Amino acid sequence: MAEKRFYYVVFVGKVSGIYDSWIACSEQVTCFSGAVFKKYRSLEEANNAWTAYVEVHSNVQVPSPQFAQLPTDYPPLLVPVQANMDGQTTSKLPKHCVYIAMLFVGAVIGILIFLVIIYIFF
């Protein structure tokens, strides 16, 4: 008996598109608020669904960053960065892991500064 093969279309997720395994699809929709995806029995059905979705949603205007509209009185290193509209990060790690990593890096830098000060003055 032949194994059934399915195709998954991620309409809204981390990276939208057609995937040939649930594992690849789940990576794009797990921990993504408002993810939209669907399973299809053939690549042709998945491709038709994806094409129809793109045609319907291709008229949506996504605002691109307008650097000319930023105030010019910011110091060069303090120019604000436009965040993602949905609050998602490009990191594949959960936010709490990123915060823990930042805390660890800060602690290591603090310890190194402390050791340099001890070495210089004592």
Side-chain angles (χ1 to χ4, degrees), residues 34-77:
V36 179
F37 59 97
K38 188 173 180 182
K39 175 173 71 171
Y40 294 93
R41 293 189 182 273
S42 71
L43 180 58
E44 183 180 356
E45 286 179 318
N47 193 30
N48 290 341
W50 175 250
T51 303
Y53 178 81
V54 169
E55 287 176 1
V56 168
H57 292 88
S58 64
N59 294 333
V60 176
Q61 295 292 325
V62 178
S64 60
Q66 299 293 325
F67 296 108
Q69 294 177 350
L70 291 175
T72 56
D73 57 343
Y74 282 111
L77 296 177

Side-chain angles (χ1 to χ4, degrees), residues 21 31 69 72 87 104:
S21 72
C31 296
Q69 294 177 350
T72 56
F104 178 74

Side-chain angles (χ1 to χ4, degrees), residues 62-117:
V62 178
S64 60
Q66 299 293 325
F67 296 108
Q69 294 177 350
L70 291 175
T72 56
D73 57 343
Y74 282 111
L77 296 177
L78 297 178
V79 175
V81 177
Q82 183 175 358
N84 292 340
M85 299 293 279
D86 57 5
Q88 298 294 324
T89 63
T90 57
S91 172
K92 294 183 186 240
L93 295 173
K95 281 187 177 180
H96 68 276
C97 291
V98 174
Y99 295 143
I100 291 170
M102 290 171 39
L103 179 66
F104 178 74
V105 169
V108 169
I109 291 172
I111 290 170
L112 289 174
I113 291 172
F114 176 75
L115 291 174
V116 168
I117 291 172

